[in-house]
Amino acid sequence: MTSLAPIRKIFFGIADRLQMFILFDRHAQRPDRWQTDGAKLYAGEWFEIAQAQHDYMLEILPPLWMRGEMFAMREFLTGSITSVFYTLRINGVTRYFHAYCDLSDRRSPYDMRDAIVERERRPVKAMTRDERIEHIWSATHDDYRGYAGDDFRPEHRGKRTVIVYGKPGTRFELLESLTDQQISEKLPVHLRHLPLPEAA
């Protein structure tokens, strides 16, 4: 979609109104928030919402543009990154989605749409390791997630961390380094036993 970041699903399930607003800025606590624009963090992120949330966002401000099953928000998050909302018919069901697209790439909203449809058409639910990691980050309260500081090795500082419980005690660990067991423990019960996607 964009040279900035890959397209990725960041939350499983349908986000309610509160979850939607949290997911809009799930990187708000990053330590360099006021020094960098965050485009690489946000571009390519998407998640599902309910029709009520979709319609609310359509009515809150006149869209920047409307094209078929999608519309773009007039207010940009950062640089050329803005919210695009979709109404998509997938496997006979109308569903609603939010995504951050880089409008400097004219194909970005269309590539995002195609990626969402391809991902959600899969007949068997499955989650990649990256999707599990992103869901954990999205669903963890700010008090229990953060960014690696001086107590981490220099090459890891600034990376995302989450609280892990166990021996030798409660501690922050790098999100990207969680073991399969830790990932399973941090996922909601209904997501713990989903299979990994089959290799193509």
Side-chain angles (χ1 to χ4, degrees), residues 163-184:
I163 278 189
V164 171
Y165 302 96
K167 297 178 181 179
T170 301
R171 65 199 181 279
F172 277 94
E173 288 199 7
L174 294 175
L175 181 65
E176 65 186 35
S177 299
L178 294 180
T179 66
D180 291 344
Q181 178 65 31
Q182 289 169 331
I183 289 171
S184 178

